[in-house]
Amino acid sequence: NRRMNRAAYVLDPINYGMPDYWATPLQFLRRDGDCEDFAITKFMSLRALGVANEAMRIVVLQDLNLRIAHAVLLVFEGGRSLVLDNQIRDVVDAAAIRHYLPLYSVNETAWWLHRA
């Protein structure tokens, strides 16, 4: 998480000339990126290290404080839900974050729609 969070945050219109672009990990490592690019690269890095697809989800959410869309990686480990977020230095328990409203989640094989 800390290694990936050292990358620069670059908005898609500046980086790719389009409103939204989900970069591959290689593109992210070469060009930096925005929140979903951080989450995708963390997901794929953990997959390469042997973490199961079923233990992770990229969560697209609404940041209620900043009033913007955001994306993070959620990892299920030892009965806990851990959030890897480019805006937070450390990995934190999802229960500690109250200002995120999840909208939908994806991994390699499925997607989930979150309802309030």
Side-chain angles (χ1 to χ4, degrees):
N1 190 57
R2 285 186 188 165
R3 162 62 184 95
M4 296 306 166
N5 283 355
R6 283 189 243 151
Y9 186 91
V10 182
L11 294 171
D12 289 334
I14 295 166
N15 215 0
Y16 294 101
M18 55 183 63
D20 194 32
Y21 184 84
W22 287 43
T24 67
L26 184 57
Q27 289 170 320
F28 174 78
L29 293 172
R30 288 182 176 161
R31 300 175 70 162
D32 302 317
D34 64 2
C35 58
E36 75 275 357
D37 304 328
F38 280 87
I40 291 166
T41 303
K42 292 173 187 183
F43 180 98
M44 296 306 295
S45 296
L46 289 173
R47 287 290 289 127
L49 291 170
V51 177
N53 172 60
E54 296 77 22
M56 296 186 289
R57 295 181 186 173
I58 295 171
V59 182
V60 175
L61 51 86
Q62 184 70 23
D63 182 322
L64 301 174
N65 288 344
L66 299 177
R67 296 185 177 139
I68 59 169
H70 185 47
V72 299
L73 178 62
L74 187 69
V75 178
F76 304 108
E77 197 277 319
R80 296 174 59 201
S81 300
L82 303 173
V83 176
L84 286 72
D85 187 340
N86 67 290
Q87 295 182 10
I88 302 172
R89 179 184 167 143
D90 297 317
V91 175
V92 297
D93 194 296
I97 302 175
R98 305 249 185 246
H99 65 286
Y100 286 170
L101 177 65
L103 303 173
Y104 66 91
S105 303
V106 298
N107 68 14
E108 293 175 348
T109 56
W111 65 273
W112 298 263
L113 180 63
H114 299 272
R115 297 177 188 224

